[in-house]
Amino acid sequence: MIRSEGMSLYQLLIPRESSYDVMSELGQIDSVMIIDHQQHLLSKPFINQVQRCDEILNKVEYLLNQLNQIGQIIEHVYDFKLMLQEFDRVLSLKQIQKHTFINQIEEYINGKYQQVQQQIDTLSRLKSKLQNTIEAKEAMINARRWLGIAYFHSKSSTALDFDEQMIKSYHQHGGMMPSQKFTHFVGVMDAKDYQIFQRTVFRITKGNFMVNETLLSVSRCCFLLIFPTFSLQSETWRKIKKLCDVLKVEHISLPLTEEQWDQRYCDYDKEIVEIENMDKLTHQLLSSILKPLLEDGDTQPSLLFIRFFLVRERTLYENLNKVKMQQSIFLANLWVRSGEILLLEDILQTIKQKNPHIPAPQIKKNTILKHKPPTFFQTNQFNKLFQLITETYGIPDYKEINPSIFSIITFPFLFGVMFGDIGHGAAILVFGIFLSMNKIFSPRSEQRKLREQRIQLGLQIQKQTNSKDFNDEDLNDFNLTQIIFDLRYMLLLCGAFSLYTGFIYNEFFGLQLNIFGSCLNQKDCTYPFGIDPQYEELGFRNSYKMKLAIIIGFSQMLLGIICSGFNYFYFKKWINLFVIFPARLLFFTLFIGYMVTLIVLKWSTFYIDTSQAPSIITTLVDMWMHDGKVTLKTFESADFQSSLQKLIILICIICIPFLLFAPIIADIITLLQKKKKDPQNLQEFELVPQNMNSDSSNDEIISEQSQHSSYIDIIVEHLIETLEFALGCISNTASYLRLWALSLAHSELAKVLFDLTLKDPLANANLFSSLLGMPVFLLATFGILLCMDSMECFLHALRLHWVEFQNKFYKGNGYNFEVFSYRKEMQKYQDKMKT
């Protein structure tokens, strides 16, 4: 874990005849990474096969979604080995080759997709027809109620003679009566367009109209429009008809007699029953087509297996697109984990034995290609999150010291320094232990069952409410629960360190505890653990936590500088190891270490009058401003302190030229050597043996180029690095004062919450007020301190690791070992489908 796993570069020559078998096996061992030599090509040789797999996959997902919608429970198979066994069983049963099996899969899926699509279209048409029929029936009922008995005495279905009551109602709406002939229009439209329709009709008829409207559903409404007209060929009637066409108003024709009305009602009822029966039969037919798709038969495999097969095929062809094609040979450069080399050789030997009639692949170690190896760390459930925090900043370089190995302890410790409180730390610790021991939050097994139950519940709700907007995305997995569950070990450690520092601070929900009794004003008495409870004044705790933050920051940054020395030694950067590393170590330990020494001496010295104690900040400022002269004595001997300070200043000044010029000289020498060996700084690499015909291309020339292209770049870069390190010693140390600030703020905030809610009721022994204040205190503690303040402490601890600690040795310019794996691709695809 301290350094990434070893990688070896191999060259694999694959004959075209055995390429499919070789790639099939490589994707199962999860041990190789194929270098992409075709990444700059827009048209890759197997892009059509990848697109073909994607198209079939989309149809498979469509069929699975339809199965979900009909309420079919899908038992997702997560066992990769079980899928491989099913794959071998199907191929042996059908007696076909692996690379031709996709032809049968495509034909089978296309046929089922078309059948399902036809039934879905039929259901859509039936649903639309049923809705129109119901709306027409409801519109007739409302129109009969609005028109009244006068309608059945009219001689036309359009021009009506209304009684005196209707005419009076028309006059009340502002209508004019040039004639007692009226035209009526019954229609159904979208409710959102009704206001537009009403305003436009008002303009067309100049206000001479009357309209009744009612909602049929949330989005649909029906209306009865009455307006005066002399003929059906009038301009007013023509404009209204055109308006109805634009707003997609469905016109409902009305019968003339009561007998015709009753007959129309019966016809609508019969039609609704027929449509519902047809809809039921279509659903049954759709279920009879879909349900067998989940069953493994002798003729065709299940949809879940087909999905696995298609993801596997797509992954295979995506990786085949990375290799170099030359005539009938595939040339692949592989990064192989050093511990898996024998496994790779055994796999290739097995392929050769299974297929003796086709040319066998050949493998050899590649010593020509110059390429930085990828980074791979074997993680588990405990250290996975810490590794993720490090890689969020940057992927470690190959064999670079991994900061996450230190973060496992230092990250929770810094969190605990800022969040230190016995009560708050115990709450987080108990919650972390609960998550670590209770598997109910695990997304692997229990949540699959819970998710299927939620889907079934959602389908029942959908049937009851007949909601069009229902979607399985409304029933997402417990994303927040998943995040909290992944944080379980970090919460456990953060709680443990918060509890530990809480005992040191002697604070319980912001209050001082008197566990061992006070030793104040007692001779030969030492408080057993933590701070004596009698030191309640803010000034003492303020000074203690501030100095403690400086010591912690110095220790962690010193660890980072030491790690840089181990990196220089491992990568054999001798100039950096013997010049830059000692210069940085001396500069930092003398500059910041002297301040830490003054803090320890001040703590160790007894002052009768604390106001006479020397100020550390004043001592350091005077040291640099007065050439090391002592203005405030901290050591017993002022002459010794003065000599020591002058020596510190001299050594720090001498270290600066070494920090600046040593790396510049080293990089310039390296650049000159590269230019001397190869003026173009390129190294040709032949991907094929010399007895084979090949065409040269850009991706055949791969080299390890220098970081710098000119002397100016080298000088500017190292000048900035030197200034950053020298000034960073001060700024980074000051940045660790956030440990003091957040710890002090946490303590004072907890004390304020207690004072505002429980202090007076408890002091006055008021039971009623105490019962009212306790929930407020607990809720405020949970929301403000345990949630918001813990997040703030987490972010500040993250910053201290990323900036102040890791910049001393960590470059983070590597890239991950992207293994060629069917298992991982299948897991990625399933996670993508869930979101």
Side-chain angles (χ1 to χ4, degrees):
M1 185 79 183
I2 191 68
R3 296 189 188 273
S4 60
E5 289 193 18
M7 295 288 168
S8 300
L9 182 61
Y10 281 83
Q11 187 183 69
L12 182 63
L13 280 70
I14 312 172
R16 192 181 186 90
E17 296 84 354
S18 60
S19 60
Y20 189 92
D21 295 327
V22 173
M23 297 298 290
S24 297
E25 297 295 334
L26 290 180
Q28 297 180 22
I29 61 176
D30 299 353
S31 299
V32 302
M33 172 183 172
I34 300 177
I35 298 177
D36 191 358
H37 292 293
Q38 311 277 4
Q39 58 182 342
H40 301 299
L41 297 182
L42 298 178
S43 178
K44 297 186 178 182
F46 297 99
I47 190 65
N48 292 331
Q49 285 81 349
V50 175
Q51 293 176 352
R52 181 187 184 188
C53 292
D54 286 332
E55 291 174 359
I56 305 174
L57 266 173
N58 291 335
K59 295 178 180 179
V60 170
E61 291 301 328
Y62 175 81
L63 295 176
L64 289 173
N65 288 334
Q66 295 302 322
L67 281 165
N68 275 329
Q69 291 184 10
I70 66 173
Q72 183 68 31
I73 297 177
I74 302 176
E75 296 291 341
H76 293 278
V77 180
Y78 295 90
D79 192 341
F80 181 74
K81 293 183 179 179
L82 185 62
M83 281 294 187
L84 289 178
Q85 293 174 4
E86 177 67 13
F87 180 60
D88 295 334
R89 185 191 71 82
V90 172
L91 292 180
S92 61
L93 186 65
K94 291 181 172 293
Q95 296 181 354
I96 58 176
Q97 296 181 353
K98 294 180 180 180
H99 62 277
T100 60
F101 182 48
I102 192 173
N103 298 328
Q104 295 187 11
I105 293 293
E106 184 178 24
E107 182 181 357
Y108 174 68
I109 293 298
N110 286 338
K112 293 297 181 182
Y113 178 80
Q114 292 176 2
Q115 293 179 15
V116 172
Q117 192 65 44
Q118 291 175 358
Q119 301 305 318
I120 295 298
D121 294 341
T122 302
L123 287 173
S124 178
R125 290 193 298 269
L126 290 173
K127 187 176 182 180
S128 177
K129 187 177 180 181
L130 178 63
Q131 181 182 357
N132 293 336
T133 305
I134 294 175
E135 289 177 351
K137 180 181 177 182
E138 294 292 331
M140 282 186 58
I141 295 174
N142 289 303
R144 185 168 185 174
R145 175 171 53 84
W146 291 329
L147 292 172
I149 196 66
Y151 173 80
F152 297 104
H153 297 288
S154 64
K155 299 178 181 179
S156 172
S157 61
T158 306
L160 304 177
D161 292 324
F162 291 99
D163 54 22
E164 295 180 359
Q165 184 178 358
M166 290 292 292
I167 295 172
K168 183 178 180 181
S169 176
Y170 181 74
H171 279 296
Q172 290 175 354
H173 283 79
M176 298 177 64
M177 292 290 293
S179 172
Q180 292 185 6
K181 294 296 183 179
F182 290 82
T183 298
H184 77 281
F185 184 89
V186 179
V188 179
M189 64 184 301
D190 291 336
K192 62 183 177 62
D193 296 330
Y194 175 73
Q195 295 295 331
I196 300 174
F197 174 80
Q198 189 178 20
R199 287 195 299 268
T200 309
V201 171
F202 180 85
R203 295 188 182 97
I204 293 173
T205 62
K206 297 181 174 60
N208 297 314
F209 78 100
M210 183 175 67
V211 65
N212 295 91
E213 178 262 346
T214 186
L215 287 175
L216 299 178
S217 63
V218 177
S219 59
R220 302 283 287 176
C221 70
C222 70
F223 65 89
L224 170 64
L225 175 64
I226 302 171
F227 59 95
T229 183
F230 294 100
S231 68
L232 297 179
Q233 285 75 33
S234 65
E235 185 68 18
T236 301
W237 177 245
R238 188 185 63 80
K239 290 181 178 179
I240 290 176
K241 287 183 65 177
K242 186 176 181 180
L243 174 64
C244 293
D245 293 337
V246 171
L247 296 180
K248 297 179 180 180
V249 177
E250 297 181 10
H251 175 242
I252 307 299
S253 62
L254 301 180
L256 299 178
T257 64
E258 292 189 47
E259 292 78 9
Q260 292 178 353
W261 279 76
D262 295 337
Q263 183 62 36
R264 183 72 65 85
Y265 287 149
C266 294
D267 293 341
Y268 279 147
D269 290 337
K270 291 179 181 179
E271 188 175 359
I272 290 173
V273 172
E274 291 177 357
I275 294 174
E276 289 177 346
N277 291 334
M278 284 295 297
D279 184 81
K280 185 177 180 181
L281 291 174
T282 306
H283 272 101
Q284 291 176 357
L285 180 58
L286 180 62
S287 298
S288 65
I289 296 173
L290 288 172
K291 287 183 178 180
L293 296 179
L294 293 178
E295 300 174 359
D296 290 318
D298 295 336
T299 56
Q300 291 296 342
S302 67
L303 273 184
L304 296 177
F305 167 76
I306 292 175
R307 182 173 66 174
F308 161 77
F309 172 77
L310 291 172
V311 173
R312 177 186 177 278
E313 288 291 293
R314 185 184 64 181
T315 306
L316 187 148
Y317 286 115
E318 283 178 345
N319 282 272
L320 266 178
N321 277 331
K322 296 179 180 180
V323 304
K324 179 69 177 178
M325 292 181 59
Q326 292 187 351
Q327 297 180 357
S328 61
I329 295 294
F330 289 101
L331 303 166
N333 287 288
L334 313 174
W335 286 113
V336 186
R337 293 163 55 187
S338 299
E340 305 290 342
I341 296 174
L342 294 179
L343 176 61
L344 175 61
E345 294 176 349
D346 292 340
I347 290 294
L348 297 178
Q349 187 65 28
T350 303
I351 296 174
K352 182 178 180 181
Q353 294 175 359
K354 287 183 179 180
N355 304 284
H357 57 283
I358 60 176
Q362 299 179 3
I363 188 171
K364 64 177 181 179
K365 196 162 187 178
N366 194 329
T367 58
I368 302 176
L369 180 63
K370 302 298 181 181
H371 199 278
K372 184 169 67 173
T375 303
F376 177 77
F377 292 98
Q378 192 73 42
T379 59
N380 51 38
Q381 292 295 322
F382 179 77
N383 60 17
K384 180 175 65 175
L385 183 62
F386 297 98
Q387 186 64 40
L388 178 62
I389 291 175
T390 298
E391 293 183 358
T392 303
Y393 177 83
I395 307 298
D397 284 339
Y398 179 68
K399 291 297 183 180
E400 184 181 26
I401 289 181
N402 185 15
S404 63
I405 194 68
F406 306 106
S407 301
I408 294 175
I409 298 299
T410 58
F411 191 95
F413 176 73
L414 294 184
F415 177 91
V417 171
M418 292 180 281
F419 199 76
D421 187 280
I422 298 174
H424 302 150
I428 296 181
L429 177 62
V430 170
F431 185 56
I433 294 174
F434 171 76
L435 290 177
S436 302
M437 299 181 64
N438 197 337
K439 297 298 182 182
I440 192 172
F441 290 92
S442 175
R444 300 294 180 261
S445 57
E446 296 296 331
Q447 287 192 9
R448 291 184 202 141
K449 299 178 182 179
L450 294 175
R451 186 174 187 271
E452 299 297 344
Q453 294 174 3
R454 295 199 312 278
I455 292 175
Q456 292 303 313
L457 178 61
L459 291 172
Q460 294 176 6
I461 297 172
Q462 180 187 16
K463 292 178 181 178
Q464 294 174 3
T465 60
N466 195 23
S467 173
K468 300 179 183 179
D469 300 328
F470 176 80
N471 196 322
D472 184 37
E473 293 179 359
D474 298 331
L475 300 173
N476 287 330
D477 291 337
F478 295 111
N479 293 331
L480 180 60
T481 307
Q482 171 66 50
I483 295 173
I484 295 175
F485 181 78
D486 291 338
L487 289 170
R488 60 194 184 278
Y489 296 118
M490 177 172 285
L491 289 174
L492 190 149
L493 291 175
C494 289
F497 279 105
S498 299
L499 182 65
Y500 169 74
T501 53
F503 275 109
I504 292 179
Y505 297 157
N506 201 5
E507 294 179 358
F508 181 78
F509 291 106
L511 305 177
Q512 301 299 315
L513 292 181
N514 193 350
I515 302 176
F516 305 105
S518 176
C519 287
L520 191 64
N521 299 324
Q522 295 186 24
K523 296 182 178 180
D524 300 328
C525 179
T526 303
Y527 196 74
F529 187 81
I531 300 176
D532 194 301
Q534 295 301 319
Y535 292 101
E536 294 185 2
E537 62 272 13
L538 182 62
F540 173 80
R541 294 180 175 273
N542 183 38
S543 176
Y544 168 75
K545 292 182 178 180
M546 179 176 62
K547 294 179 175 62
L548 182 65
I550 296 296
I551 295 175
I552 293 174
F554 170 76
S555 302
Q556 189 174 25
M557 288 189 290
L558 181 62
L559 175 63
I561 295 176
I562 293 174
C563 288
S564 68
F566 284 104
N567 277 336
Y568 296 149
F569 177 79
Y570 184 86
F571 293 113
K572 299 180 180 179
K573 297 181 178 180
W574 306 120
I575 294 180
N576 291 354
L577 178 62
F578 294 112
V579 179
I580 299 177
F581 172 66
R584 287 187 173 185
L585 189 63
L586 280 173
F587 186 89
F588 181 77
T589 52
L590 292 177
F591 193 179
I592 307 300
Y594 179 65
M595 179 171 59
V596 174
T597 303
L598 293 178
I599 292 174
V600 175
L601 286 174
K602 188 174 180 179
W603 278 349
S604 304
T605 304
F606 177 74
Y607 296 95
I608 298 176
D609 185 3
T610 55
S611 62
Q612 300 298 321
S615 172
I616 295 177
I617 296 178
T618 305
T619 302
L620 293 175
V621 171
D622 291 345
M623 179 184 76
W624 289 94
M625 296 298 295
H626 299 93
D627 298 330
K629 294 181 180 179
V630 177
T631 57
L632 296 174
K633 187 178 72 170
T634 305
F635 291 79
E636 294 183 359
S637 173
D639 295 336
F640 173 77
Q641 184 177 353
S642 177
S643 301
L644 179 62
Q645 291 182 167
K646 291 179 181 179
L647 181 62
I648 290 174
I649 293 174
L650 178 62
I651 295 176
C652 289
I653 293 175
I654 293 174
C655 287
I656 298 296
F658 286 94
L659 292 174
L660 176 61
F661 295 111
I664 292 177
I665 295 172
D667 284 348
I668 290 177
I669 292 174
T670 303
L671 185 61
L672 291 174
Q673 291 176 348
K674 286 183 177 293
K675 288 185 177 181
K676 185 177 181 181
K677 291 182 179 179
D678 188 353
Q680 298 181 354
N681 198 21
L682 295 174
Q683 182 175 3
E684 186 174 355
F685 170 60
E686 294 184 1
L687 289 170
V688 295
Q690 302 204 353
N691 57 353
M692 299 181 63
N693 296 324
S694 62
D695 298 328
S696 299
S697 61
N698 291 334
D699 60 307
E700 292 176 340
I701 303 174
I702 304 173
S703 63
E704 184 182 9
Q705 299 185 8
S706 173
Q707 292 180 335
H708 314 287
S709 58
S710 66
Y711 304 118
I712 299 298
D713 293 340
I714 296 175
I715 295 173
V716 170
E717 178 180 344
H718 291 295
L719 177 61
I720 294 174
E721 286 185 354
T722 302
L723 291 175
E724 181 182 6
F725 177 79
L727 299 178
C729 289
I730 302 174
S731 62
N732 292 347
T733 303
S735 183
Y736 276 91
L737 291 176
R738 68 186 69 236
L739 299 175
W740 151 60
L742 267 75
S743 174
L744 198 63
H746 178 87
S747 174
E748 292 301 311
L749 185 58
K751 186 177 179 181
V752 167
L753 292 178
F754 179 81
D755 291 344
L756 293 176
T757 55
L758 293 177
K759 182 178 180 180
D760 291 339
L762 292 178
N764 299 328
N766 190 331
L767 180 61
F768 180 74
S769 298
S770 300
L771 293 177
L772 291 178
M774 181 60 70
V776 178
F777 173 74
L778 294 177
L779 289 175
T781 300
F782 174 77
I784 299 176
L785 294 175
L786 294 181
C787 293
M788 296 175 59
D789 194 51
S790 63
M791 179 61 68
E792 184 181 10
C793 294
F794 178 90
L795 294 176
H796 282 284
L798 190 66
R799 182 246 156 73
L800 290 176
H801 279 78
W802 279 358
V803 179
E804 278 71 28
F805 173 56
Q806 291 180 187
N807 71 351
K808 299 296 184 294
F809 69 99
Y810 184 65
K811 300 299 182 183
N813 295 324
Y815 64 100
N816 274 326
F817 179 68
E818 298 292 342
V819 64
F820 174 30
S821 170
Y822 299 139
R823 180 187 291 106
K824 289 190 175 181
E825 288 298 324
M826 190 64 195
Q827 186 61 46
K828 288 180 182 179
Y829 183 79
Q830 290 174 345
D831 294 340
K832 179 182 177 182
M833 289 299 103
K834 289 180 181 179
T835 57

